[in-house]
Amino acid sequence: METREKQPVSSNIEKNIDYMKTMMAVDKSFDVIQLDLAYAGRKMVMFLVDGFVKDDILHYLMKLLAGLDEDQLEDDALNKLLKKYIPYVEVEEKDDLNIVIDTVLAGPTALLVDGIDKAILIDARTYPVRGPQEPDLERVVRGSRDGYVETLVFNTALTRRRIRDRTLRMEYLQIGRRSKTDVVVCYLEDIADPKLVNKIKKSLSMIDTDGLPMGEKTIEEFVSGRHWNPYPMVRYTERPDTAAAHLYEGHVCIIVDGSPSVLITPTTFWHHLQHIEEYRNKPLVGAYLRMVRFIAVWASIFLLPLWYLFSIHPDLLPISFFYVSPDDMGDVPLFLQLILIEIGIDILRMAAIHTPSSLATALGLVAALMIGQVAVQVGLFINEVILYLAVAAIGTFATPSYELSLANRLVRIYLLVATALFGPYGLIVGTTLWVIALTRLKSFDIPYMWPFIPFNYRAFRDVMVRSPIPLKNRRPRFLHPKDPDR
């Protein structure tokens, strides 16, 4: 991280004003305000950013300062201001103007007083913020409806509301040479592995970049490594209850200011296949939902390559399954049909994201007519291609993790190409290479495919079947928790 040379606060307020005014470009930025004041016979000045301050609080503090007499600040003025005459919760002193400038740009107000060689920081800031609404990607039928927002302090409060544990730690960092983005590392000190916590904090401290415009996504790319790996090495969540459940297991969460998504680290492949809806139902119902979800995810990866293989090699099918292979391959080569419709589905998905909600229904009708009935009638696609692609697409959308669903889509295309080039051997070898690639991945030294590879029966049983909560009396072993019992 870049470090600036210290610029001490001078007891001569004019020197401080000149430096602050120059470095903050008060004359060039309309929203950076310099407020010249005179209270208790002393010249004072406030530096603040318009839109970041609570006007009523500053007005109240200024009213109190205006009532001070000159003799009230004659002796030990700094301590009297901090402890008596500025009655506010978040007040601190700083002796470096560079730190003061960075702090003011983050929202707090700086008060400089003539004759005092310290700056007083008043954290009376507010941000434009939306309400904690239920996240679109993690909806549940029953359960809490609040979700993380873009303000860091709100998110830490939502987390503490669910974890009233005295060992819950919220460690504050700033990342980005220019952006100075606020980041919090959140964990339970009595549970989380200290080595894991230190490794994550070290990875964050080594991030050297101008800023984090994409927030948590930029952090993920820095700390996860393997930049060309499509699979997510951390889990995103916008639900405080999901984050709390992982903290109780021994995970470490990373909260980034300006982002409603919290990073959960470390995670395995199987974490991205679980959804809170499974735990909002009875254990047997939850286990059924998880099995259905697994079937949908595997179908999204393997259904199209398998069907294509059986279509070009019908001799591999038993006689009773000959109906799977289409009688008419159509005018366009079958492989090209599959690639075209894969690209078409992605185009439709992107179009739906950028389409206003009032036009979404019209877009759906156009897509159904053009890619469905008309495409078959003109001979671009055959009915079976649309059927099996629709099933695979449903499996993609049934994947709880959006990032995992995108990675699985790329794997599906990769297996499709391997099958088209090398037939049955291409599918077998391609799948084997895919599994090997996943087993070689590690998330903060944790095997990505654990507990499947390396195998752990008890943990793998909990992955495949949604166990009743009273029977889950042990925390995951791969996290090496300090307190292994729940």
Side-chain angles (χ1 to χ4, degrees):
M1 299 291 292
E2 181 187 45
T3 56
R4 290 191 180 95
E5 184 179 349
K6 183 177 180 179
Q7 178 67 29
V9 179
S10 173
S11 57
N12 185 342
I13 194 172
E14 296 298 337
K15 292 182 179 179
N16 297 330
I17 291 176
D18 290 342
Y19 187 81
M20 294 278 291
K21 191 173 181 179
T22 301
M23 298 303 293
M24 297 185 68
V26 174
D27 297 332
K28 297 180 180 179
S29 300
F30 81 95
D31 59 337
V32 179
I33 297 174
Q34 174 188 335
L35 192 59
D36 295 315
L37 308 166
Y39 298 131
R42 290 176 183 249
K43 183 174 181 179
M44 302 184 187
V45 64
M46 282 186 178
F47 286 94
L48 54 105
V49 177
D50 191 16
F52 278 176
V53 297
K54 297 177 182 176
D55 293 340
D56 52 347
I57 292 176
L58 283 188
H59 289 165
Y60 175 69
L61 295 178
M62 291 167 67
K63 185 177 180 180
L64 291 178
L65 291 174
L68 295 178
D69 295 327
E70 188 172 342
D71 59 344
Q72 290 178 285
L73 291 182
E74 282 185 357
D75 301 323
D76 201 12
L78 178 63
N79 279 329
K80 287 182 178 179
L81 285 170
L82 288 173
K83 299 179 180 178
K84 187 175 182 179
Y85 299 133
I86 302 180
Y88 192 65
V89 177
E90 297 182 73
V91 180
E92 62 177 335
E93 59 180 83
K94 291 293 181 183
D95 61 357
D96 185 351
L97 286 178
N98 285 324
I99 295 177
V100 172
I101 291 171
D102 291 338
T103 306
V104 171
L105 293 175
T109 300
L111 173 64
L112 298 169
V113 182
D114 193 21
I116 298 179
D117 60 353
K118 299 285 179 63
I120 299 174
L121 293 175
I122 306 168
D123 194 354
R125 57 180 154 177
T126 183
Y127 292 128
V129 64
R130 61 183 175 89
Q133 302 168 349
E134 183 178 15
D136 287 335
L137 291 178
E138 298 176 274
R139 292 183 179 275
V140 293
V141 177
R142 296 194 182 276
S144 61
R145 304 294 177 184
D146 57 345
Y148 287 124
V149 294
E150 287 77 13
T151 305
L152 181 72
V153 177
F154 284 18
N155 292 342
T156 57
L158 285 170
T159 305
R160 278 200 181 273
R161 183 183 179 189
R162 286 168 170 79
I163 304 180
R164 300 177 183 180
D165 192 305
R166 64 185 66 184
T167 70
L168 178 63
R169 300 292 177 256
M170 299 278 189
E171 297 194 15
Y172 172 81
L173 302 169
Q174 275 193 335
I175 298 177
R177 291 190 300 268
R178 295 179 181 272
S179 69
K180 305 293 183 185
T181 304
D182 296 330
V183 176
V184 166
V185 179
C186 176
Y187 61 96
L188 283 165
E189 192 173 35
D190 280 0
I191 297 177
D193 181 11
K195 293 181 180 178
L196 172 62
V197 175
N198 291 333
K199 186 176 181 64
I200 291 173
K201 290 195 291 186
K202 183 179 179 181
S203 298
L204 292 173
S205 65
M206 292 176 64
I207 296 177
D208 186 17
T209 185
D210 279 347
L212 306 177
M214 296 294 108
E216 81 291 351
K217 190 66 184 72
T218 306
I219 285 182
E220 183 209 354
E221 293 190 11
F222 270 102
V223 302
S224 64
R226 294 180 177 267
H227 306 302
W228 299 108
N229 162 45
Y231 278 91
M233 306 308 293
V234 299
R235 180 177 178 180
Y236 294 90
T237 184
E238 295 183 34
R239 296 188 62 92
D241 49 0
T242 299
H246 284 81
L247 287 170
Y248 278 124
E249 288 185 347
H251 292 266
V252 179
C253 292
I254 302 173
I255 308 174
V256 184
D257 188 35
S259 171
S261 297
V262 168
L263 300 182
I264 300 173
T265 61
T267 55
T268 66
F269 177 83
W270 312 100
H271 280 96
H272 300 280
L273 297 180
Q274 297 178 4
H275 193 273
I276 196 169
E277 181 72 13
E278 298 159 5
Y279 291 94
R280 292 290 184 179
N281 289 282
K282 297 289 287 182
L284 188 60
V285 177
Y288 165 74
L289 293 177
R290 182 172 292 184
M291 286 294 101
V292 171
R293 195 182 307 279
F294 280 174
I295 292 171
V297 172
W298 300 137
S300 71
I301 300 174
F302 295 108
L303 183 63
L304 273 184
L306 277 174
W307 176 76
Y308 177 72
L309 176 65
F310 293 143
S311 297
I312 60 177
H313 293 281
D315 53 297
L316 297 176
L317 284 170
I319 296 177
S320 56
F321 286 92
F322 270 3
Y323 64 88
V324 172
S325 178
D327 298 327
D328 181 14
M329 295 289 188
D331 300 328
V332 180
L334 189 57
F335 174 73
L336 186 57
Q337 291 184 45
L338 293 173
I339 295 298
L340 286 175
I341 201 168
E342 283 277 11
I343 296 174
I345 287 292
D346 280 330
I347 293 174
L348 278 176
R349 179 181 60 84
M350 289 186 285
I353 293 174
H354 302 303
T355 301
S357 57
S358 58
L359 300 177
T361 303
L363 174 66
L365 291 172
V366 171
L369 292 173
M370 290 182 61
I371 297 187
Q373 182 180 0
V374 174
V376 172
Q377 290 178 351
V378 300
L380 183 59
F381 301 129
I382 59 175
N383 287 315
E384 288 87 346
V385 167
I386 294 179
L387 169 65
Y388 289 108
L389 193 280
V391 175
I394 292 172
T396 298
F397 297 133
T399 307
S401 169
Y402 177 68
E403 292 76 22
L404 182 69
S405 69
L406 295 177
N408 286 343
R409 181 178 292 134
L410 292 179
V411 171
R412 181 172 72 219
I413 296 175
Y414 150 73
L415 293 178
L416 196 59
V417 172
T419 305
L421 292 176
F422 305 107
Y425 299 105
L427 180 59
I428 294 171
V429 174
T431 303
T432 304
L433 292 177
W434 171 61
V435 174
I436 292 174
L438 290 180
T439 58
R440 290 174 57 86
L441 294 178
K442 287 189 175 182
S443 175
F444 294 97
D445 295 329
I446 304 300
Y448 196 56
M449 291 299 286
W450 188 92
F452 179 57
I453 301 173
F455 188 74
N456 182 295
Y457 169 73
R458 179 170 179 166
F460 191 67
R461 181 195 62 195
D462 289 340
V463 164
M464 299 303 295
V465 180
R466 190 288 215 198
S467 304
I469 296 297
L471 300 183
K472 296 184 69 173
N473 54 5
R474 304 279 294 178
R475 305 186 203 279
R477 289 176 54 187
F478 77 97
L479 293 171
H480 307 293
K482 293 168 67 176
D483 180 11
D485 298 320
R486 292 180 185 271

